[in-house]
């Protein structure tokens, strides 16, 4: 009945099994590569250090996560907002 | 030389012991000589699920410590000629046996039996390592829940690390009406995530509770939906090619009607 009401009012919620699958997929990526949150934090800090030589980045909104590609490969995904390029760091042409 | 198969899951409460009891009884119904080992030392339960709790004299630890001969510790199930149980010790802990001892025990039993089924304790510690030590192959039991599938994945990894690759999966307690509504992961979802071969699926069946109350595995009751599923798995484990039973037919009015009139599913 509740389902029907939800449909009538156009509030189609996503199926809970899809949520389960997605959550499982993410948690398994981390389980399988066996990396700790500390490991990810250290990796992130090293990335910041390296990238900061070339550009000014927004460290607060930066995201570094492991995920899985369509071909079941583990991928490191980094979303790093750039505030400004450091001109001086570019190699001379 | 028989085959040694460990029934494992990682997570507790997904139905390892029930599965071991039913598959074991299923093999016996097919005329195979089978022994069930309860490797859950300190928390033995396979004896009560089998209804053999009053017949225990010696246990697994008595055998490994040499307090009795192996044959003395085996309990023969009077209902099925070829079915035996080696119970776990209740007053000891998982460290009372070693993987080497388990390996030797399994080897000895495989001389006399067609199938040796090991009921593995939950967890990934010593008890798990002991239970898998002597196994030729592994059957993983899971349920369609995030926690159980996650633990199954971990177990698959640990088995592989121990050189026991290619485990087979049983998905237990599937509720077809919830799958239909999209509120429970289906078999394809789970297989896709775990990337293992499917051995079979067991529908949720209230009769399991009744059968455990009675100490009589559900597989012997043809009216139980789980019974057919267990029998199919037994036949697959014996190398037969048995198609998956349709879950659709198990639910709904027609499914019930069919069950009442005793039609059997493939």
């Amino acid at each position: 009945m509740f389902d029907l009401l939800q449909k009538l009012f156009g509030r189609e919620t996503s199926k809970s099994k899809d949520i389960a699958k997605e959550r499982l997929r993410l948690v398994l990526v981390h389980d399988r590569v066996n990396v700790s949150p500390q490991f990810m934090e250290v990796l992130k800090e090293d990335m910041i250090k390296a990238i900061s030589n070339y550009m000014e980045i927004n460290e607060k909104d930066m995201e570094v996560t492991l995920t899985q590609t369509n071909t079941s490969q583990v991928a490191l995904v980094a979303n790093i907002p750039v505030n400004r390029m450091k001109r001086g760091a570019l190699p001379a042409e | 030389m028989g085959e040694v198969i460990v029934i494992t899951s990682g997570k507790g409460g997904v139905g390892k012991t029930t599965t071991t009891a039913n598959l074991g009884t299923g093999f016996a119904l097919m005329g195979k000589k089978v022994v069930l080992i309860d490797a859950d030392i300190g928390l033995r339960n396979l004896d009560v699920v089998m209804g053999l709790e009053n017949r225990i004299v010696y246990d697994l630890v008595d055998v490994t410590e040499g307090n009795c001969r192996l044959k003395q510790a085996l309990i023969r199930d009077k209902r099925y000629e070829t079915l035996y149980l080696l119970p776990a010790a209740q007053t000891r802990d998982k460290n009372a046996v070693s993987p080497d001892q388990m390996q030797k025990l399994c080897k000895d039993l495989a001389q006399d039996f067609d199938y040796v089924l090991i009921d593995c304790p939950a967890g990934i510690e010593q008890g798990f390592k002991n239970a898998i030590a002597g196994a030729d192959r592994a059957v993983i039991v899971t349920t369609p829940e995030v926690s159980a599938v996650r633990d199954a994945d971990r177990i698959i990894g640990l088995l592989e690390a121990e050189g026991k690759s290619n485990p087979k999966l049983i998905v237990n307690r599937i509720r077809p009406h919830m799958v239909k509504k999209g509120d429970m992961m289906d078999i394809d979802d789970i297989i896709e995530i775990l990337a293992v071969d499917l051995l079979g699926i067991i529908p949720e069946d209230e009769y399991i509770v009744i059968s455990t109350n009675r100490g009589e595995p559900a597989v012997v009751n043809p009216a139980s939906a789980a019974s057919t599923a267990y029998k199919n798995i037994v036949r697959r484990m014996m190398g037969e090619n048995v198609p998956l039973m349709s879950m659709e037919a198990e639910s709904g009015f027609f499914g019930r009607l069919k069950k009442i009139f005793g039609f059997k599913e493939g």
Side-chain angles (χ1 to χ4, degrees):
Chain A
M1 191 60 198
F2 185 62
D3 283 352
L4 189 73
L5 278 177
Q6 275 195 328
K7 263 177 206 155
L8 273 178
F9 292 105
R11 267 188 37 216
E12 183 69 81
T13 47
S14 64
K15 287 177 179 173
S16 73
K17 79 137 184 181
D18 293 329
I19 302 170
K21 228 174 132 179
E22 198 45 46
R23 290 178 57 219
L24 248 176
R25 215 174 252 145
L26 277 177
V27 79
L28 287 186
V29 168
H30 284 264
D31 284 0
R32 282 172 185 168
V33 292
N34 203 14
V35 299
S36 62
Q38 288 91 328
F39 176 99
M40 293 302 291
E41 211 40 50
V42 172
L43 170 68
K44 196 171 149 185
E45 276 162 29
D46 272 357
M47 286 172 73
I48 293 173
K49 233 182 271 166
I51 295 167
S52 295
N53 290 330
Y54 304 92
M55 50 192 89
E56 224 173 70
I57 58 174
N58 178 352
E59 292 176 32
K60 221 177 74 221
D61 295 334
M62 169 177 175
E63 272 180 332
V64 180
T65 51
L66 289 170
T67 181
Q68 203 167 30
T69 64
N70 293 333
T71 53
S72 288
Q73 240 189 341
V74 175
L76 178 69
V77 176
N79 186 358
I80 310 169
V82 177
N83 290 339
R84 199 171 60 85
M85 302 301 285
K86 284 188 179 170
R87 289 281 160 205
L90 289 176
E93 307 222 356
Chain B
M1 194 72 180
E3 227 180 329
V4 185
I5 303 160
V6 62
I7 319 289
T8 181
S9 71
K11 188 177 177 299
V14 297
K16 282 180 299 295
T17 302
T18 306
T19 301
T20 309
N22 279 288
L23 295 183
T25 309
F27 277 122
L29 290 173
M30 297 288 281
K32 295 290 172 190
K33 201 174 173 197
V34 54
V35 58
L36 312 182
I37 305 178
D38 189 348
D40 203 346
I41 297 166
L43 288 170
R44 81 170 167 220
N45 269 325
L46 187 53
D47 54 336
V48 284
V49 174
M50 296 292 296
L52 297 172
E53 68 273 20
N54 292 326
R55 302 201 25 225
I56 298 176
V57 181
Y58 297 109
D59 57 47
L60 197 159
V61 177
D62 287 322
V63 175
T64 55
E65 289 186 346
N67 300 334
C68 69
R69 281 175 296 113
L70 176 54
K71 289 248 162 71
Q72 287 177 291
L74 296 179
I75 302 166
R76 193 174 71 92
D77 193 316
K78 287 173 181 157
R79 296 161 293 185
Y80 318 101
E81 280 289 292
T82 57
L83 182 59
Y84 291 77
L85 170 72
L86 178 56
Q90 181 70 332
T91 53
R92 305 291 294 270
D93 66 43
K94 266 81 183 172
N95 297 314
V97 291
S98 70
D100 285 347
Q101 287 173 325
M102 281 300 287
Q103 239 165 10
K104 184 178 179 305
L105 176 73
C106 292
K107 224 173 149 192
D108 290 347
L109 286 169
Q111 302 284 345
D112 281 332
F113 290 89
D114 298 318
Y115 291 96
V116 180
L117 301 189
I118 305 166
D119 183 18
C120 180
I124 54 174
E125 294 84 17
Q126 192 60 40
F128 167 75
K129 286 173 187 151
N130 288 338
I132 66 165
D136 302 318
R137 51 176 174 150
V139 168
I140 295 171
V141 182
T142 192
T143 57
E145 288 157 74
V146 176
S147 49
V149 175
R150 181 195 197 177
D151 287 2
D153 187 79
R154 188 115 166 80
I155 289 295
I156 292 166
L158 290 171
L159 284 168
E160 222 158 64
E162 293 289 325
K164 325 243 175 226
S165 48
N166 204 12
K168 301 279 191 283
L169 187 74
I170 292 177
V171 183
N172 197 15
R173 310 191 69 166
I174 280 263
R175 296 183 216 188
H177 69 280
M178 289 193 77
V179 172
K180 218 171 186 176
K181 269 175 39 188
D183 275 333
M184 182 173 264
M185 284 186 284
D186 62 32
I187 303 301
D188 292 339
D189 296 329
I190 297 167
I191 291 297
E192 184 194 322
I193 286 168
L194 293 179
V196 287
D197 294 336
L198 182 66
L199 182 60
I201 54 180
I202 315 286
E204 174 81 42
D205 182 359
E206 285 184 357
Y207 187 75
I208 294 291
V209 178
I210 299 168
S211 78
T212 309
N213 289 345
R214 290 190 174 142
E216 194 177 79
V219 67
V220 298
N221 182 350
S224 138
S227 166
T228 314
Y230 282 124
K231 279 183 191 151
N232 286 348
I233 290 174
V234 165
R235 284 163 61 199
R236 285 184 202 117
M237 288 172 84
M238 288 169 63
E240 261 183 71
N241 191 357
V242 186
L244 281 179
M245 66 184 207
S246 111
M247 285 196 314
E248 300 282 315
E250 287 304 323
S251 64
F253 176 70
F254 285 106
R256 257 172 274 145
L257 208 66
K258 269 168 126 184
K259 243 192 275 172
I260 289 166
F261 289 107
F263 285 100
K264 282 194 182 147
E265 293 300 316

